[in-house]
Amino acid sequence: TSMETSIWSRAFKRQQKWEDKDDLLDVIYWMRLVVSIVVGILCGIVPLTGILGIVFYLGISCGLIYAYCSIFQQIDEDEFGGMWEILKEGFMTSFAMFLINWILIYTACHFS
């Protein structure tokens, strides 16, 4: 767990060096999963429906990951295969998590 502690402590410090690229990709994966849960709950409570909710999720999810990597960490995206490779890290898993949370919360809040 000391390895995990160092990864997560580096995740919240600016401009860290990521010798092992998989460490940063793990951070992005889990960060995206947490964002998916939060945005799914928000979309369910608000209530957003249809393509508007999906576009809202895509904007928040990809925007936060892009800002984290390019502004906060200031990584060289070419080392990771380009920004597209970074943005798609864990995307389908987190999208599924978003949909599950969105549907469950929306159904619980807006159907009797």
Side-chain angles (χ1 to χ4, degrees), residues 26-90:
D26 287 347
V27 168
I28 290 169
Y29 176 88
W30 289 105
M31 186 182 305
R32 185 176 288 240
L33 213 51
V34 169
V35 167
S36 297
I37 292 169
V38 171
V39 174
I41 291 170
L42 287 174
C43 285
I45 291 172
V46 167
L48 288 177
T49 58
I51 195 73
L52 186 60
I54 293 172
V55 169
F56 179 71
Y57 166 73
L58 291 174
I60 296 291
S61 177
C62 292
L64 284 176
I65 297 302
Y66 182 81
Y68 176 77
C69 291
S70 64
I71 297 170
F72 188 75
Q73 289 295 338
Q74 295 183 350
I75 62 164
D76 179 11
E77 57 194 57
D78 292 330
E79 291 180 18
F80 294 86
M83 189 52 76
W84 180 250
E85 292 298 318
I86 295 169
L87 287 177
K88 69 180 190 177
E89 177 66 27

